[in-house]
Amino acid sequence: MRVTFRGKDGFEFTDALANYIEAKLTRVANYFRHPEDLKVRVVGSVYDAEQIIEVTIPTKKLLLRAEESAKDMYAAVDLVVDKLERQIQKHKDKINSLYRRNEGLSNLFKSNEELDIEGLNAEIVGINLVKTKKVELIPMTVEEAAIQMEMIDHDFFIFLNKETNKVNILYRRKKDHELAIIETEYEEG
């Protein structure tokens, strides 16, 4: 596992904090069949009195992401690692099944039999445009998009629908927390 650190808003990672984060992330890496291939991005920042940590783990077809904040950066790290583990535990069987069915690939995550679950659990906007983000449109089904949205811990997800070949936006409705889709259309002329 290769971990890169980036500080924002004046935040700088100390060697002690970086070592602590790398040690904690080994818990997450233990879920993967090939943890040596993981490229993990860690971003730390400070906003008012809150210390914010964001961890992103991109894989070939899946983006795992979590963000947490606390008064202390070490506490925020503990929270974000716990969140990542919960995301993986909740979705790993479904993701492995999708990988096998759709791509003919091996499983991304280890099976329950390969994991020491008990051991792992024991450790356990305004008007001004302020940011522009580019999104890679990956063809996927609605089910795959729903899983991906959960994995990055967002309320929406933009993807290229495999079935319609159109850009879709999957989002969680505020009133009932159910999922809904916006289907895009484009007419030239």
Side-chain angles (χ1 to χ4, degrees):
M1 172 176 62
R2 291 178 302 250
V3 183
T4 58
F5 297 94
R6 185 170 68 96
K8 286 176 33 179
D9 302 324
F11 183 84
E12 293 185 25
F13 285 94
T14 63
D15 289 341
L17 180 59
N19 291 336
Y20 183 79
I21 292 169
E22 287 178 344
K24 285 292 191 172
L25 286 174
T26 59
R27 286 177 33 195
V28 174
N30 285 332
Y31 284 94
F32 289 85
R33 287 198 181 280
H34 302 287
E36 66 279 1
D37 295 339
L38 296 177
K39 295 177 183 175
V40 182
R41 293 188 306 261
V42 179
V43 178
S45 60
V46 179
Y47 184 75
D48 289 335
E50 293 290 309
Q51 307 280 318
I52 304 164
I53 189 83
E54 175 187 322
V55 177
T56 306
I57 306 172
T59 66
K60 184 176 180 180
K61 292 282 187 178
L62 181 73
L63 181 69
L64 183 62
R65 181 192 172 281
E67 181 178 317
E68 284 293 337
S69 64
K71 301 279 185 216
D72 172 73
M73 186 56 83
Y74 288 89
V77 169
D78 291 343
L79 291 171
V80 83
V81 169
D82 289 346
K83 181 184 267 187
L84 287 166
E85 282 189 299
R86 282 192 310 274
Q87 289 173 355
I88 292 170
Q89 287 175 355
K90 181 177 177 183
H91 297 291
K92 73 179 181 60
D93 291 335
K94 196 180 296 185
I95 291 165
N96 283 342
S97 174
L98 285 170
Y99 262 63
R100 283 190 305 271
R101 185 173 69 228
N102 293 338
E103 306 297 332
L105 300 173
S106 62
N107 296 340
L108 178 65
F109 297 114
K110 293 179 180 176
S111 68
N112 285 343
E113 293 76 31
E114 295 171 289
L115 289 171
D116 176 14
I117 297 293
E118 289 181 21
L120 290 168
N121 286 337
E123 289 184 35
I124 299 235
V125 196
I127 264 183
N128 297 329
L129 179 66
V130 295
K131 185 175 182 179
T132 300
K133 192 169 191 172
K134 292 186 180 195
V135 176
E136 180 181 357
L137 290 177
I138 299 172
M140 60 181 67
T141 65
V142 173
E143 181 183 12
E144 290 168 320
I147 293 169
Q148 182 66 54
M149 185 177 83
E150 290 291 328
M151 295 300 288
I152 62 173
D153 195 32
H154 280 193
D155 292 327
F156 70 95
F157 187 75
I158 302 168
F159 67 103
L160 184 62
N161 190 321
K162 266 186 187 177
E163 298 162 6
T164 64
N165 203 32
K166 291 186 178 185
V167 175
N168 286 186
I169 302 166
L170 179 69
Y171 67 97
R172 185 169 309 283
R173 295 166 23 136
K174 287 187 179 184
K175 68 178 186 175
D176 58 5
H177 302 287
E178 295 293 325
L179 296 180
I181 286 194
I182 298 172
E183 294 182 336
T184 60
E185 292 185 2
Y186 178 72
E187 292 181 17
E188 288 189 33

